Amino acid sequence: MPYGLDDQGRPIFLISTMAMHTQNLQADLRASLLVTQGDAGSDPLGASRVTPVGNVLPIPEAEVADARPLYLARYANSKYWVDFEDFSFTVWMWWTSTTLAASG
């Protein structure tokens, strides 16, 4: 899943309510995110990586205006669907659970 980082270093996602992963999050907010080194090549599991585990929650409406340009700066093509009614920004809440790390 593509993500950007907000000013606090939290991953932000632009997700559609029609997507199965969004529906899964609506039923259970727990999730993990595989983050690999940038030059992982064709095998991300052979590279250094970290997997934070926590809860995914909607970004408060007051913060969406800040999150939107950060995400669009990283994923310019998102401008084509960012305003569709079924898309919304969510934020990874870091203050829960576990972080798993592997060096490759």
Side-chain angles (χ1 to χ4, degrees):
M1 156 116 4
Y3 66 93
L5 296 176
D6 70 7
D7 292 336
Q8 298 175 44
R10 300 175 299 184
I12 52 176
F13 310 98
L14 178 63
I15 57 177
S16 168
T17 56
M18 294 189 295
M20 183 55 70
H21 52 265
T22 304
Q23 294 171 31
N24 290 338
L25 286 171
Q26 289 171 334
D28 184 349
L29 299 175
R30 295 175 300 162
S32 63
L33 177 68
L34 175 63
V35 181
T36 64
Q37 65 190 57
D39 59 350
S42 63
D43 183 13
L45 297 180
S48 296
R49 59 199 181 275
V50 64
T51 305
V53 179
N55 292 333
V56 177
L57 300 171
I59 292 178
E61 191 63 37
E63 296 177 29
V64 169
D66 294 329
R68 180 185 170 106
L70 293 171
Y71 190 89
L72 291 175
R74 182 158 181 166
Y75 302 103
N77 282 343
S78 295
K79 67 183 177 187
Y80 297 113
W81 57 84
V82 68
D83 293 319
F84 290 0
E85 288 185 23
D86 63 300
F87 278 88
S88 62
F89 286 99
T90 58
V91 64
W92 184 273
M93 302 306 289
W94 288 100
W95 38 260
T96 60
S97 291
T98 307
T99 299
L100 309 171
S103 59

